[in-house]
Amino acid sequence: QGFGWGSRLGVDLPGEAAGFLPTKNWRDNDRPTPWRLGDTYHLSIGQGDIEVTPLQVASAFSAIANNGTLYQPQLAVSVNRPDGSILRTFPKKVIVEKIASTSTIRAVQQGLREGVLSGSSRSLQSLPVAAAGKTGTAQFGRDGKTHSWYSAYAPYDDPEIVVTVIVEAGGEGNAAALPIAK
């Protein structure tokens, strides 16, 4: 929940979805079987009854990239006049100031970088800047079909951009979403 999953982030667009972050209480009350340790394991790797939006994933990656601050997503930083002077600014809004300890965030950053150096994101090594990222494959329905996900940020040492791509029914993350993100 620290990443804002399971709730709206408050982006300045209509129709934002909240997603769904399952809890032990929800499972115990709404399902015929109780929460088990395996449910915790599934949830920790993004499996099970979790539902997240691409915006939530991109916001989470942004928080990891910036060392732990989750900001409310917004479309603009400012509105400028034709001469370049600023007419109006939109200040950043912090949702969570510190989503995890510095050592935890650093470990995740290193893991995301390792995904590019030796994992399923190796094709990003050819970019002109160092990147960090993670592929994802999300099952849907009962036929074994999957959505292809990819999220990344760059440059790794001084992040300026986060990208999240989902290709519905696209297969594995490195097959469809990663090439688009690249």
Side-chain angles (χ1 to χ4, degrees):
Q1 289 176 329
F3 287 103
W5 293 5
S7 60
R8 290 178 181 85
L9 295 172
V11 68
D12 46 352
L13 288 171
E16 180 186 7
F20 179 70
L21 189 60
T23 63
K24 181 183 183 313
N25 186 47
W26 164 81
R27 179 68 179 262
D28 291 346
N29 291 322
D30 291 2
R31 294 290 174 118
T33 59
W35 189 276
R36 296 195 172 109
L37 184 57
D39 294 308
T40 301
Y41 293 153
H42 275 138
L43 185 60
S44 73
I45 62 168
Q47 298 294 318
D49 294 307
I50 188 170
E51 296 176 3
V52 296
T53 67
L55 180 63
Q56 290 170 332
V57 172
S59 292
F61 265 70
S62 176
I64 294 298
N66 75 34
N67 297 313
T69 303
L70 180 67
Y71 291 98
Q72 181 180 26
Q74 60 190 59
L75 294 182
V77 174
S78 65
V79 174
N80 297 353
R81 293 182 182 93
D83 67 5
S85 62
I86 296 174
L87 177 65
R88 179 178 175 199
T89 61
F90 302 93
K92 294 179 183 179
K93 295 179 186 174
V94 174
I95 296 174
V96 178
E97 188 140 347
K98 193 71 172 169
I99 58 169
S101 70
T102 301
S103 62
T104 297
I105 290 170
R106 186 70 185 134
V108 173
Q109 291 171 338
Q110 290 170 341
L112 293 171
R113 178 67 182 140
E114 196 61 38
V116 172
L117 296 176
S118 64
S120 59
S121 305
R122 286 187 299 269
S123 70
L124 294 189
Q125 290 179 16
S126 65
L127 293 176
V129 296
K134 177 71 180 91
T135 58
T137 304
Q139 297 171 326
F140 68 95
R142 300 197 182 271
D143 299 328
K145 293 181 181 179
T146 57
H147 299 311
S148 175
W149 281 84
Y150 191 73
S151 285
Y153 66 88
Y156 174 68
D157 293 324
D158 189 18
E160 294 180 23
I161 187 169
V162 170
V163 62
T164 295
V165 175
I166 180 173
V167 179
E168 294 182 346
E172 295 183 7
N174 64 342
L178 174 59
I180 295 168
K182 185 179 177 185

Short mmCIF file of all heavy atoms in Angstrom, two decimals, residues 65-114:
data_model
loop_
_atom_site.label_atom_id
_atom_site.label_comp_id
_atom_site.label_asym_id
_atom_site.label_seq_id
_atom_site.Cartn_x
_atom_site.Cartn_y
_atom_site.Cartn_z
N ALA A 65 13.30 4.95 -8.29
CA ALA A 65 14.34 5.70 -8.99
C ALA A 65 14.77 6.94 -8.23
O ALA A 65 15.95 7.31 -8.24
CB ALA A 65 13.87 6.08 -10.39
N ASN A 66 13.82 7.60 -7.54
CA ASN A 66 14.17 8.85 -6.85
C ASN A 66 14.53 8.64 -5.38
O ASN A 66 14.55 9.59 -4.61
CB ASN A 66 13.05 9.89 -7.01
CG ASN A 66 11.83 9.61 -6.14
OD1 ASN A 66 11.94 9.11 -5.03
ND2 ASN A 66 10.66 9.94 -6.65
N ASN A 67 14.78 7.41 -5.01
CA ASN A 67 15.23 7.05 -3.65
C ASN A 67 14.13 7.07 -2.60
O ASN A 67 14.42 7.21 -1.42
CB ASN A 67 16.43 7.91 -3.21
CG ASN A 67 17.62 7.68 -4.08
OD1 ASN A 67 17.98 6.54 -4.36
ND2 ASN A 67 18.25 8.76 -4.54
N GLY A 68 12.87 6.93 -3.01
CA GLY A 68 11.85 6.63 -2.02
C GLY A 68 10.67 7.55 -1.85
O GLY A 68 9.84 7.31 -0.98
N THR A 69 10.52 8.59 -2.65
CA THR A 69 9.37 9.48 -2.51
C THR A 69 8.33 9.16 -3.57
O THR A 69 8.64 9.15 -4.76
CB THR A 69 9.78 10.96 -2.62
OG1 THR A 69 10.77 11.23 -1.62
CG2 THR A 69 8.58 11.87 -2.40
N LEU A 70 7.11 8.88 -3.13
CA LEU A 70 6.01 8.64 -4.06
C LEU A 70 5.24 9.95 -4.24
O LEU A 70 4.68 10.49 -3.28
CB LEU A 70 5.06 7.56 -3.52
CG LEU A 70 3.87 7.21 -4.41
CD1 LEU A 70 4.34 6.54 -5.70
CD2 LEU A 70 2.89 6.31 -3.66
N TYR A 71 5.26 10.45 -5.47
CA TYR A 71 4.57 11.69 -5.80
C TYR A 71 3.23 11.40 -6.45
O TYR A 71 3.06 10.38 -7.13
CB TYR A 71 5.41 12.54 -6.77
CG TYR A 71 6.66 13.10 -6.17
CD1 TYR A 71 7.89 12.47 -6.37
CD2 TYR A 71 6.63 14.25 -5.39
CE1 TYR A 71 9.05 12.98 -5.81
CE2 TYR A 71 7.78 14.77 -4.83
CZ TYR A 71 8.99 14.12 -5.04
OH TYR A 71 10.13 14.63 -4.48
N GLN A 72 2.31 12.33 -6.30
CA GLN A 72 1.05 12.25 -7.03
C GLN A 72 1.36 12.53 -8.50
O GLN A 72 2.01 13.54 -8.82
CB GLN A 72 0.07 13.29 -6.51
CG GLN A 72 -1.27 13.26 -7.20
CD GLN A 72 -2.21 14.32 -6.63
OE1 GLN A 72 -1.79 15.34 -6.10
NE2 GLN A 72 -3.50 14.06 -6.74
N PRO A 73 0.95 11.64 -9.40
CA PRO A 73 1.23 11.89 -10.83
C PRO A 73 0.49 13.13 -11.32
O PRO A 73 -0.62 13.42 -10.87
CB PRO A 73 0.67 10.65 -11.52
CG PRO A 73 0.39 9.66 -10.46
CD PRO A 73 0.24 10.40 -9.19
N GLN A 74 1.13 13.86 -12.20
CA GLN A 74 0.50 15.04 -12.79
C GLN A 74 0.97 15.19 -14.22
O GLN A 74 2.05 14.74 -14.58
CB GLN A 74 0.80 16.29 -11.97
CG GLN A 74 2.27 16.62 -11.86
CD GLN A 74 2.55 17.72 -10.85
OE1 GLN A 74 2.22 17.59 -9.69
NE2 GLN A 74 3.17 18.79 -11.32
N LEU A 75 0.14 15.83 -15.04
CA LEU A 75 0.45 15.96 -16.45
C LEU A 75 1.38 17.11 -16.78
O LEU A 75 2.06 17.09 -17.79
CB LEU A 75 -0.84 16.13 -17.26
CG LEU A 75 -1.77 14.91 -17.26
CD1 LEU A 75 -2.98 15.18 -18.12
CD2 LEU A 75 -1.04 13.68 -17.74
N ALA A 76 1.41 18.12 -15.94
CA ALA A 76 2.21 19.30 -16.26
C ALA A 76 2.93 19.82 -15.03
O ALA A 76 2.46 19.66 -13.90
CB ALA A 76 1.32 20.41 -16.83
N VAL A 77 4.08 20.43 -15.27
CA VAL A 77 4.82 21.10 -14.22
C VAL A 77 4.48 22.59 -14.23
O VAL A 77 4.39 23.23 -13.21
CB VAL A 77 6.34 20.89 -14.41
CG1 VAL A 77 7.14 21.70 -13.41
CG2 VAL A 77 6.68 19.42 -14.31
N SER A 78 4.26 23.11 -15.46
CA SER A 78 3.93 24.53 -15.58
C SER A 78 3.22 24.79 -16.90
O SER A 78 3.26 23.98 -17.82
CB SER A 78 5.20 25.39 -15.48
OG SER A 78 6.04 25.14 -16.59
N VAL A 79 2.60 25.97 -16.96
CA VAL A 79 2.04 26.50 -18.20
C VAL A 79 2.85 27.75 -18.51
O VAL A 79 2.98 28.64 -17.66
CB VAL A 79 0.53 26.85 -18.05
CG1 VAL A 79 0.02 27.52 -19.31
CG2 VAL A 79 -0.27 25.61 -17.70
N ASN A 80 3.41 27.78 -19.71
CA ASN A 80 4.26 28.91 -20.08
C ASN A 80 3.60 29.78 -21.14
O ASN A 80 2.85 29.29 -21.99
CB ASN A 80 5.60 28.40 -20.62
CG ASN A 80 6.39 27.63 -19.59
OD1 ASN A 80 6.02 27.57 -18.43
ND2 ASN A 80 7.47 27.04 -20.03
N ARG A 81 3.92 31.07 -21.09
CA ARG A 81 3.47 32.01 -22.12
C ARG A 81 4.32 31.80 -23.37
O ARG A 81 5.39 31.19 -23.31
CB ARG A 81 3.62 33.44 -21.61
CG ARG A 81 2.69 33.78 -20.46
CD ARG A 81 2.88 35.26 -20.04
NE ARG A 81 2.03 35.59 -18.93
CZ ARG A 81 2.40 35.51 -17.65
NH1 ARG A 81 3.63 35.14 -17.33
NH2 ARG A 81 1.55 35.83 -16.69
N PRO A 82 3.89 32.35 -24.51
CA PRO A 82 4.68 32.22 -25.74
C PRO A 82 6.11 32.74 -25.61
O PRO A 82 7.02 32.24 -26.25
CB PRO A 82 3.89 33.02 -26.77
CG PRO A 82 2.48 32.96 -26.28
CD PRO A 82 2.58 32.97 -24.77
N ASP A 83 6.33 33.73 -24.73
CA ASP A 83 7.69 34.26 -24.55
C ASP A 83 8.54 33.41 -23.62
O ASP A 83 9.70 33.72 -23.36
CB ASP A 83 7.64 35.71 -24.06
CG ASP A 83 7.08 35.86 -22.65
OD1 ASP A 83 6.79 34.83 -21.99
OD2 ASP A 83 6.92 37.01 -22.20
N GLY A 84 7.96 32.33 -23.09
CA GLY A 84 8.70 31.42 -22.21
C GLY A 84 8.51 31.69 -20.74
O GLY A 84 8.90 30.88 -19.90
N SER A 85 7.93 32.85 -20.40
CA SER A 85 7.72 33.13 -18.98
C SER A 85 6.61 32.21 -18.45
O SER A 85 5.73 31.78 -19.18
CB SER A 85 7.36 34.60 -18.77
OG SER A 85 6.15 34.92 -19.43
N ILE A 86 6.69 31.94 -17.17
CA ILE A 86 5.76 31.00 -16.55
C ILE A 86 4.46 31.70 -16.15
O ILE A 86 4.49 32.70 -15.43
CB ILE A 86 6.40 30.32 -15.33
CG1 ILE A 86 7.60 29.49 -15.79
CG2 ILE A 86 5.40 29.45 -14.59
CD1 ILE A 86 8.42 28.90 -14.67
N LEU A 87 3.36 31.17 -16.64
CA LEU A 87 2.04 31.69 -16.29
C LEU A 87 1.53 31.05 -15.00
O LEU A 87 0.98 31.72 -14.13
CB LEU A 87 1.05 31.42 -17.44
CG LEU A 87 -0.39 31.83 -17.23
CD1 LEU A 87 -0.50 33.35 -17.09
CD2 LEU A 87 -1.25 31.35 -18.37
N ARG A 88 1.73 29.73 -14.89
CA ARG A 88 1.23 29.01 -13.72
C ARG A 88 2.11 27.78 -13.49
O ARG A 88 2.54 27.14 -14.43
CB ARG A 88 -0.20 28.56 -13.97
CG ARG A 88 -0.82 27.78 -12.84
CD ARG A 88 -2.26 27.40 -13.12
NE ARG A 88 -2.74 26.56 -12.04
CZ ARG A 88 -3.79 25.78 -12.13
NH1 ARG A 88 -4.49 25.73 -13.24
NH2 ARG A 88 -4.17 25.04 -11.11
N THR A 89 2.37 27.48 -12.23
CA THR A 89 3.10 26.26 -11.90
C THR A 89 2.19 25.30 -11.14
O THR A 89 1.20 25.72 -10.52
CB THR A 89 4.35 26.56 -11.04
OG1 THR A 89 3.91 27.16 -9.82
CG2 THR A 89 5.32 27.45 -11.77
N PHE A 90 2.52 24.04 -11.21
CA PHE A 90 1.78 23.00 -10.50
C PHE A 90 2.77 22.32 -9.55
O PHE A 90 3.61 21.53 -10.01
CB PHE A 90 1.19 21.99 -11.49
CG PHE A 90 0.28 22.61 -12.50
CD1 PHE A 90 0.76 23.02 -13.74
CD2 PHE A 90 -1.06 22.83 -12.21
CE1 PHE A 90 -0.07 23.61 -14.67
CE2 PHE A 90 -1.91 23.42 -13.14
CZ PHE A 90 -1.42 23.81 -14.37
N PRO A 91 2.70 22.63 -8.28
CA PRO A 91 3.70 22.08 -7.36
C PRO A 91 3.56 20.56 -7.20
O PRO A 91 2.48 20.00 -7.36
CB PRO A 91 3.39 22.80 -6.04
CG PRO A 91 1.98 23.26 -6.16
CD PRO A 91 1.73 23.49 -7.63
N LYS A 92 4.69 19.93 -6.92
CA LYS A 92 4.68 18.49 -6.65
C LYS A 92 3.91 18.22 -5.36
O LYS A 92 3.99 19.00 -4.41
CB LYS A 92 6.12 17.97 -6.48
CG LYS A 92 6.96 18.04 -7.71
CD LYS A 92 8.36 17.52 -7.41
CE LYS A 92 9.25 17.64 -8.60
NZ LYS A 92 10.61 17.17 -8.31
N LYS A 93 3.18 17.11 -5.37
CA LYS A 93 2.46 16.69 -4.17
C LYS A 93 2.98 15.32 -3.76
O LYS A 93 2.95 14.37 -4.53
CB LYS A 93 0.96 16.61 -4.44
CG LYS A 93 0.33 17.94 -4.77
CD LYS A 93 -1.16 17.79 -5.06
CE LYS A 93 -1.74 19.12 -5.52
NZ LYS A 93 -3.13 18.98 -5.95
N VAL A 94 3.46 15.24 -2.53
CA VAL A 94 4.01 14.00 -2.01
C VAL A 94 2.88 13.15 -1.44
O VAL A 94 2.06 13.63 -0.65
CB VAL A 94 5.06 14.28 -0.92
CG1 VAL A 94 5.53 12.99 -0.26
CG2 VAL A 94 6.24 15.04 -1.51
N ILE A 95 2.83 11.89 -1.85
CA ILE A 95 1.87 10.94 -1.28
C ILE A 95 2.50 10.22 -0.10
O ILE A 95 1.91 10.11 0.97
CB ILE A 95 1.39 9.92 -2.34
CG1 ILE A 95 0.63 10.63 -3.47
CG2 ILE A 95 0.52 8.84 -1.71
CD1 ILE A 95 0.27 9.71 -4.64
N VAL A 96 3.71 9.69 -0.31
CA VAL A 96 4.47 9.02 0.75
C VAL A 96 5.90 9.53 0.67
O VAL A 96 6.52 9.47 -0.40
CB VAL A 96 4.46 7.48 0.59
CG1 VAL A 96 5.29 6.81 1.68
CG2 VAL A 96 3.03 6.95 0.62
N GLU A 97 6.41 10.04 1.79
CA GLU A 97 7.75 10.62 1.77
C GLU A 97 8.86 9.57 1.72
O GLU A 97 9.86 9.74 1.03
CB GLU A 97 7.96 11.50 2.99
CG GLU A 97 9.25 12.27 2.92
CD GLU A 97 9.11 13.68 3.43
OE1 GLU A 97 7.99 14.16 3.62
OE2 GLU A 97 10.14 14.30 3.63
N LYS A 98 8.71 8.47 2.41
CA LYS A 98 9.75 7.44 2.44
C LYS A 98 9.07 6.08 2.40
O LYS A 98 8.58 5.59 3.41
CB LYS A 98 10.60 7.59 3.70
CG LYS A 98 11.87 6.80 3.68
CD LYS A 98 12.84 7.39 2.70
CE LYS A 98 14.20 6.73 2.78
NZ LYS A 98 15.05 7.12 1.69
N ILE A 99 9.03 5.47 1.21
CA ILE A 99 8.30 4.22 1.04
C ILE A 99 9.01 3.02 1.65
O ILE A 99 8.39 2.01 1.94
CB ILE A 99 7.99 3.92 -0.43
CG1 ILE A 99 9.27 3.86 -1.25
CG2 ILE A 99 7.01 4.91 -1.00
CD1 ILE A 99 9.10 3.33 -2.63
N ALA A 100 10.33 3.12 1.85
CA ALA A 100 11.11 2.03 2.43
C ALA A 100 12.44 2.59 2.90
O ALA A 100 12.79 3.73 2.59
CB ALA A 100 11.33 0.93 1.39
N SER A 101 13.18 1.76 3.62
CA SER A 101 14.49 2.19 4.10
C SER A 101 15.43 2.42 2.92
O SER A 101 15.25 1.87 1.83
CB SER A 101 15.08 1.13 5.04
OG SER A 101 15.44 -0.02 4.30
N THR A 102 16.45 3.22 3.15
CA THR A 102 17.43 3.50 2.11
C THR A 102 18.09 2.21 1.62
O THR A 102 18.29 2.03 0.41
CB THR A 102 18.49 4.49 2.63
OG1 THR A 102 17.83 5.69 3.03
CG2 THR A 102 19.54 4.80 1.58
N SER A 103 18.40 1.30 2.53
CA SER A 103 19.06 0.06 2.13
C SER A 103 18.13 -0.82 1.29
O SER A 103 18.58 -1.46 0.34
CB SER A 103 19.57 -0.71 3.35
OG SER A 103 18.49 -1.09 4.19
N THR A 104 16.85 -0.82 1.60
CA THR A 104 15.89 -1.61 0.81
C THR A 104 15.76 -1.01 -0.59
O THR A 104 15.78 -1.74 -1.59
CB THR A 104 14.53 -1.66 1.51
OG1 THR A 104 14.68 -2.33 2.77
CG2 THR A 104 13.49 -2.38 0.66
N ILE A 105 15.62 0.29 -0.67
CA ILE A 105 15.49 0.94 -1.98
C ILE A 105 16.75 0.70 -2.80
O ILE A 105 16.67 0.39 -4.00
CB ILE A 105 15.19 2.44 -1.82
CG1 ILE A 105 13.78 2.61 -1.28
CG2 ILE A 105 15.35 3.19 -3.14
CD1 ILE A 105 13.43 4.00 -0.85
N ARG A 106 17.90 0.81 -2.18
CA ARG A 106 19.16 0.58 -2.91
C ARG A 106 19.23 -0.85 -3.43
O ARG A 106 19.67 -1.08 -4.55
CB ARG A 106 20.35 0.90 -2.00
CG ARG A 106 21.68 0.82 -2.71
CD ARG A 106 21.82 1.98 -3.71
NE ARG A 106 23.06 1.78 -4.45
CZ ARG A 106 23.17 1.89 -5.76
NH1 ARG A 106 22.14 2.23 -6.49
NH2 ARG A 106 24.32 1.69 -6.35
N ALA A 107 18.78 -1.81 -2.64
CA ALA A 107 18.79 -3.22 -3.08
C ALA A 107 17.87 -3.41 -4.28
O ALA A 107 18.23 -4.12 -5.24
CB ALA A 107 18.37 -4.13 -1.93
N VAL A 108 16.71 -2.76 -4.28
CA VAL A 108 15.79 -2.86 -5.42
C VAL A 108 16.41 -2.19 -6.64
O VAL A 108 16.36 -2.73 -7.75
CB VAL A 108 14.41 -2.27 -5.08
CG1 VAL A 108 13.52 -2.22 -6.31
CG2 VAL A 108 13.74 -3.07 -3.96
N GLN A 109 17.01 -1.02 -6.46
CA GLN A 109 17.68 -0.35 -7.58
C GLN A 109 18.75 -1.25 -8.19
O GLN A 109 18.84 -1.38 -9.42
CB GLN A 109 18.32 0.96 -7.11
CG GLN A 109 17.34 2.04 -6.76
CD GLN A 109 17.99 3.24 -6.09
OE1 GLN A 109 19.09 3.15 -5.53
NE2 GLN A 109 17.32 4.37 -6.14
N GLN A 110 19.56 -1.87 -7.35
CA GLN A 110 20.61 -2.75 -7.84
C GLN A 110 20.03 -3.96 -8.56
O GLN A 110 20.55 -4.38 -9.60
CB GLN A 110 21.52 -3.19 -6.70
CG GLN A 110 22.36 -2.06 -6.17
CD GLN A 110 23.10 -2.41 -4.88
OE1 GLN A 110 22.75 -3.35 -4.17
NE2 GLN A 110 24.12 -1.62 -4.57
N GLY A 111 18.93 -4.50 -8.04
CA GLY A 111 18.28 -5.63 -8.70
C GLY A 111 17.73 -5.24 -10.06
O GLY A 111 17.85 -6.01 -11.03
N LEU A 112 17.14 -4.05 -10.16
CA LEU A 112 16.62 -3.58 -11.44
C LEU A 112 17.75 -3.33 -12.43
O LEU A 112 17.62 -3.60 -13.63
CB LEU A 112 15.78 -2.32 -11.25
CG LEU A 112 14.48 -2.51 -10.48
CD1 LEU A 112 13.85 -1.16 -10.15
CD2 LEU A 112 13.51 -3.38 -11.25
N ARG A 113 18.87 -2.86 -11.96
CA ARG A 113 20.03 -2.67 -12.84
C ARG A 113 20.57 -4.02 -13.28
O ARG A 113 20.93 -4.21 -14.44
CB ARG A 113 21.11 -1.86 -12.12
CG ARG A 113 22.37 -1.66 -12.95
CD ARG A 113 22.12 -0.78 -14.17
NE ARG A 113 23.36 -0.66 -14.94
CZ ARG A 113 23.42 -0.67 -16.25
NH1 ARG A 113 22.32 -0.76 -16.98
NH2 ARG A 113 24.57 -0.56 -16.88
N GLU A 114 20.59 -4.97 -12.37
CA GLU A 114 21.08 -6.31 -12.70
C GLU A 114 20.20 -6.97 -13.76
O GLU A 114 20.68 -7.76 -14.57
CB GLU A 114 21.16 -7.18 -11.44
CG GLU A 114 21.97 -8.42 -11.59
CD GLU A 114 23.44 -8.15 -11.94
OE1 GLU A 114 24.04 -7.18 -11.43
OE2 GLU A 114 23.99 -8.96 -12.73
#
